[in-house]
Amino acid sequence: QVQLVESGGGLVQTGGSLRLSCAASGRTFTFSRYTMGWFRQAPGKEREFVARISRSSSTYYADSVKGRFTISRDNAKNTVYLQMNSLKPEDTAVYYCAATTTETAWGVPWYNYWGQGTQVTVSS
């Protein structure tokens, strides 16, 4: 069984920063073999892609966060991070991390494992 546990969410003012973490575990889960993604879901909206980092550590971002968010991974700690800077009210959402064996996956259906999410609220 694979577990993904997000942390680091909270309330921040416009222009502020937060760093989200996602710790992965599982008896048969080899973290370094997975592409890891971050998604978010605002109230009344569909879950949307934010960023991903592949097994080879190549990264890809949604246009809405490019230049403000940075995804990284630490394979020794089985953890993926999302550094969020210059936050805007429209970044308010529940943020989820997810894992997939598909190297360049960005869509929700491609991801096999999901965390429970962490709330990020950006006040104006």
Side-chain angles (χ1 to χ4, degrees), residues 3-23:
Q3 276 197 316
L4 303 177
V5 180
E6 302 95 337
S7 62
L11 174 64
V12 65
Q13 290 187 333
T14 296
S17 298
L18 283 174
R19 188 174 87 149
L20 305 183
S21 300
C22 172

PDB file of all heavy atoms in Angstrom, residues 3-23:
ATOM      1  N   GLN A   3       1.382   5.285   0.591  1.00  0.00           N
ATOM      2  CA  GLN A   3       0.834   6.445   1.304  1.00  0.00           C
ATOM      3  C   GLN A   3       1.570   7.704   0.897  1.00  0.00           C
ATOM      4  O   GLN A   3       2.808   7.718   0.877  1.00  0.00           O
ATOM      5  CB  GLN A   3       0.977   6.248   2.811  1.00  0.00           C
ATOM      6  CG  GLN A   3      -0.139   5.440   3.440  1.00  0.00           C
ATOM      7  CD  GLN A   3      -0.178   5.619   4.945  1.00  0.00           C
ATOM      8  OE1 GLN A   3       0.855   5.594   5.607  1.00  0.00           O
ATOM      9  NE2 GLN A   3      -1.355   5.787   5.494  1.00  0.00           N
ATOM     10  N   LEU A   4       0.816   8.731   0.586  1.00  0.00           N
ATOM     11  CA  LEU A   4       1.372  10.055   0.306  1.00  0.00           C
ATOM     12  C   LEU A   4       0.751  11.016   1.307  1.00  0.00           C
ATOM     13  O   LEU A   4      -0.474  11.105   1.405  1.00  0.00           O
ATOM     14  CB  LEU A   4       1.040  10.491  -1.124  1.00  0.00           C
ATOM     15  CG  LEU A   4       1.503   9.572  -2.256  1.00  0.00           C
ATOM     16  CD1 LEU A   4       1.036  10.117  -3.602  1.00  0.00           C
ATOM     17  CD2 LEU A   4       3.012   9.430  -2.251  1.00  0.00           C
ATOM     18  N   VAL A   5       1.602  11.701   2.053  1.00  0.00           N
ATOM     19  CA  VAL A   5       1.107  12.591   3.105  1.00  0.00           C
ATOM     20  C   VAL A   5       1.657  13.992   2.880  1.00  0.00           C
ATOM     21  O   VAL A   5       2.876  14.206   2.966  1.00  0.00           O
ATOM     22  CB  VAL A   5       1.511  12.075   4.496  1.00  0.00           C
ATOM     23  CG1 VAL A   5       0.984  13.020   5.572  1.00  0.00           C
ATOM     24  CG2 VAL A   5       0.976  10.667   4.726  1.00  0.00           C
ATOM     25  N   GLU A   6       0.750  14.918   2.591  1.00  0.00           N
ATOM     26  CA  GLU A   6       1.139  16.312   2.356  1.00  0.00           C
ATOM     27  C   GLU A   6       1.178  17.086   3.669  1.00  0.00           C
ATOM     28  O   GLU A   6       0.444  16.772   4.617  1.00  0.00           O
ATOM     29  CB  GLU A   6       0.147  17.016   1.419  1.00  0.00           C
ATOM     30  CG  GLU A   6      -0.033  16.370   0.060  1.00  0.00           C
ATOM     31  CD  GLU A   6      -1.209  15.430   0.005  1.00  0.00           C
ATOM     32  OE1 GLU A   6      -1.623  14.929   1.075  1.00  0.00           O
ATOM     33  OE2 GLU A   6      -1.715  15.199  -1.113  1.00  0.00           O
ATOM     34  N   SER A   7       2.020  18.097   3.699  1.00  0.00           N
ATOM     35  CA  SER A   7       2.082  19.002   4.839  1.00  0.00           C
ATOM     36  C   SER A   7       2.588  20.349   4.370  1.00  0.00           C
ATOM     37  O   SER A   7       3.099  20.478   3.240  1.00  0.00           O
ATOM     38  CB  SER A   7       2.995  18.435   5.930  1.00  0.00           C
ATOM     39  OG  SER A   7       4.315  18.290   5.451  1.00  0.00           O
ATOM     40  N   GLY A   8       2.451  21.359   5.228  1.00  0.00           N
ATOM     41  CA  GLY A   8       2.996  22.667   4.916  1.00  0.00           C
ATOM     42  C   GLY A   8       1.987  23.708   4.471  1.00  0.00           C
ATOM     43  O   GLY A   8       2.351  24.865   4.260  1.00  0.00           O
ATOM     44  N   GLY A   9       0.745  23.309   4.337  1.00  0.00           N
ATOM     45  CA  GLY A   9      -0.264  24.281   3.947  1.00  0.00           C
ATOM     46  C   GLY A   9      -0.566  25.249   5.079  1.00  0.00           C
ATOM     47  O   GLY A   9      -0.094  25.094   6.210  1.00  0.00           O
ATOM     48  N   GLY A  10      -1.344  26.281   4.757  1.00  0.00           N
ATOM     49  CA  GLY A  10      -1.702  27.252   5.777  1.00  0.00           C
ATOM     50  C   GLY A  10      -2.265  28.505   5.170  1.00  0.00           C
ATOM     51  O   GLY A  10      -2.621  28.546   3.988  1.00  0.00           O
ATOM     52  N   LEU A  11      -2.347  29.534   6.011  1.00  0.00           N
ATOM     53  CA  LEU A  11      -2.869  30.836   5.598  1.00  0.00           C
ATOM     54  C   LEU A  11      -1.707  31.801   5.406  1.00  0.00           C
ATOM     55  O   LEU A  11      -0.845  31.908   6.288  1.00  0.00           O
ATOM     56  CB  LEU A  11      -3.828  31.363   6.664  1.00  0.00           C
ATOM     57  CG  LEU A  11      -4.369  32.782   6.487  1.00  0.00           C
ATOM     58  CD1 LEU A  11      -5.228  32.861   5.230  1.00  0.00           C
ATOM     59  CD2 LEU A  11      -5.165  33.193   7.715  1.00  0.00           C
ATOM     60  N   VAL A  12      -1.683  32.479   4.285  1.00  0.00           N
ATOM     61  CA  VAL A  12      -0.597  33.413   3.982  1.00  0.00           C
ATOM     62  C   VAL A  12      -1.177  34.615   3.252  1.00  0.00           C
ATOM     63  O   VAL A  12      -2.209  34.507   2.586  1.00  0.00           O
ATOM     64  CB  VAL A  12       0.494  32.707   3.141  1.00  0.00           C
ATOM     65  CG1 VAL A  12      -0.043  32.296   1.771  1.00  0.00           C
ATOM     66  CG2 VAL A  12       1.734  33.558   3.007  1.00  0.00           C
ATOM     67  N   GLN A  13      -0.532  35.743   3.376  1.00  0.00           N
ATOM     68  CA  GLN A  13      -0.987  36.946   2.680  1.00  0.00           C
ATOM     69  C   GLN A  13      -0.510  36.950   1.237  1.00  0.00           C
ATOM     70  O   GLN A  13       0.468  36.265   0.886  1.00  0.00           O
ATOM     71  CB  GLN A  13      -0.464  38.184   3.405  1.00  0.00           C
ATOM     72  CG  GLN A  13      -1.114  38.418   4.761  1.00  0.00           C
ATOM     73  CD  GLN A  13      -0.687  39.743   5.385  1.00  0.00           C
ATOM     74  OE1 GLN A  13       0.398  40.243   5.105  1.00  0.00           O
ATOM     75  NE2 GLN A  13      -1.543  40.302   6.229  1.00  0.00           N
ATOM     76  N   THR A  14      -1.171  37.747   0.435  1.00  0.00           N
ATOM     77  CA  THR A  14      -0.761  37.917  -0.961  1.00  0.00           C
ATOM     78  C   THR A  14       0.710  38.334  -1.019  1.00  0.00           C
ATOM     79  O   THR A  14       1.145  39.212  -0.268  1.00  0.00           O
ATOM     80  CB  THR A  14      -1.626  38.974  -1.647  1.00  0.00           C
ATOM     81  OG1 THR A  14      -2.979  38.494  -1.683  1.00  0.00           O
ATOM     82  CG2 THR A  14      -1.155  39.228  -3.067  1.00  0.00           C
ATOM     83  N   GLY A  15       1.447  37.659  -1.899  1.00  0.00           N
ATOM     84  CA  GLY A  15       2.865  37.933  -2.033  1.00  0.00           C
ATOM     85  C   GLY A  15       3.744  37.076  -1.153  1.00  0.00           C
ATOM     86  O   GLY A  15       4.981  37.096  -1.297  1.00  0.00           O
ATOM     87  N   GLY A  16       3.148  36.334  -0.256  1.00  0.00           N
ATOM     88  CA  GLY A  16       3.907  35.496   0.653  1.00  0.00           C
ATOM     89  C   GLY A  16       4.339  34.183   0.035  1.00  0.00           C
ATOM     90  O   GLY A  16       4.089  33.923  -1.153  1.00  0.00           O
ATOM     91  N   SER A  17       4.973  33.351   0.860  1.00  0.00           N
ATOM     92  CA  SER A  17       5.510  32.070   0.394  1.00  0.00           C
ATOM     93  C   SER A  17       5.113  30.942   1.329  1.00  0.00           C
ATOM     94  O   SER A  17       4.891  31.152   2.525  1.00  0.00           O
ATOM     95  CB  SER A  17       7.045  32.133   0.333  1.00  0.00           C
ATOM     96  OG  SER A  17       7.498  33.108  -0.584  1.00  0.00           O
ATOM     97  N   LEU A  18       5.033  29.766   0.758  1.00  0.00           N
ATOM     98  CA  LEU A  18       4.834  28.543   1.513  1.00  0.00           C
ATOM     99  C   LEU A  18       5.621  27.432   0.838  1.00  0.00           C
ATOM    100  O   LEU A  18       5.820  27.473  -0.384  1.00  0.00           O
ATOM    101  CB  LEU A  18       3.356  28.129   1.549  1.00  0.00           C
ATOM    102  CG  LEU A  18       2.401  28.860   2.489  1.00  0.00           C
ATOM    103  CD1 LEU A  18       0.977  28.384   2.239  1.00  0.00           C
ATOM    104  CD2 LEU A  18       2.777  28.640   3.945  1.00  0.00           C
ATOM    105  N   ARG A  19       6.031  26.449   1.618  1.00  0.00           N
ATOM    106  CA  ARG A  19       6.645  25.257   1.040  1.00  0.00           C
ATOM    107  C   ARG A  19       5.845  24.041   1.465  1.00  0.00           C
ATOM    108  O   ARG A  19       5.730  23.751   2.660  1.00  0.00           O
ATOM    109  CB  ARG A  19       8.093  25.096   1.463  1.00  0.00           C
ATOM    110  CG  ARG A  19       8.784  23.959   0.691  1.00  0.00           C
ATOM    111  CD  ARG A  19      10.260  23.849   0.957  1.00  0.00           C
ATOM    112  NE  ARG A  19      10.558  23.025   2.110  1.00  0.00           N
ATOM    113  CZ  ARG A  19      11.667  22.296   2.243  1.00  0.00           C
ATOM    114  NH1 ARG A  19      12.567  22.285   1.285  1.00  0.00           N
ATOM    115  NH2 ARG A  19      11.882  21.610   3.339  1.00  0.00           N
ATOM    116  N   LEU A  20       5.320  23.353   0.483  1.00  0.00           N
ATOM    117  CA  LEU A  20       4.594  22.114   0.727  1.00  0.00           C
ATOM    118  C   LEU A  20       5.548  20.936   0.624  1.00  0.00           C
ATOM    119  O   LEU A  20       6.484  20.950  -0.176  1.00  0.00           O
ATOM    120  CB  LEU A  20       3.461  21.941  -0.282  1.00  0.00           C
ATOM    121  CG  LEU A  20       2.456  23.086  -0.398  1.00  0.00           C
ATOM    122  CD1 LEU A  20       1.359  22.700  -1.396  1.00  0.00           C
ATOM    123  CD2 LEU A  20       1.874  23.451   0.941  1.00  0.00           C
ATOM    124  N   SER A  21       5.274  19.927   1.448  1.00  0.00           N
ATOM    125  CA  SER A  21       6.035  18.685   1.398  1.00  0.00           C
ATOM    126  C   SER A  21       5.077  17.524   1.215  1.00  0.00           C
ATOM    127  O   SER A  21       3.922  17.583   1.658  1.00  0.00           O
ATOM    128  CB  SER A  21       6.829  18.479   2.691  1.00  0.00           C
ATOM    129  OG  SER A  21       7.734  19.522   2.918  1.00  0.00           O
ATOM    130  N   CYS A  22       5.571  16.476   0.591  1.00  0.00           N
ATOM    131  CA  CYS A  22       4.783  15.256   0.426  1.00  0.00           C
ATOM    132  C   CYS A  22       5.712  14.080   0.691  1.00  0.00           C
ATOM    133  O   CYS A  22       6.648  13.853  -0.086  1.00  0.00           O
ATOM    134  CB  CYS A  22       4.190  15.175  -0.966  1.00  0.00           C
ATOM    135  SG  CYS A  22       3.393  13.603  -1.346  1.00  0.00           S
ATOM    136  N   ALA A  23       5.444  13.371   1.768  1.00  0.00           N
ATOM    137  CA  ALA A  23       6.245  12.214   2.137  1.00  0.00           C
ATOM    138  C   ALA A  23       5.574  10.949   1.643  1.00  0.00           C
ATOM    139  O   ALA A  23       4.383  10.726   1.896  1.00  0.00           O
ATOM    140  CB  ALA A  23       6.429  12.163   3.646  1.00  0.00           C
TER     141      ALA A  23
END
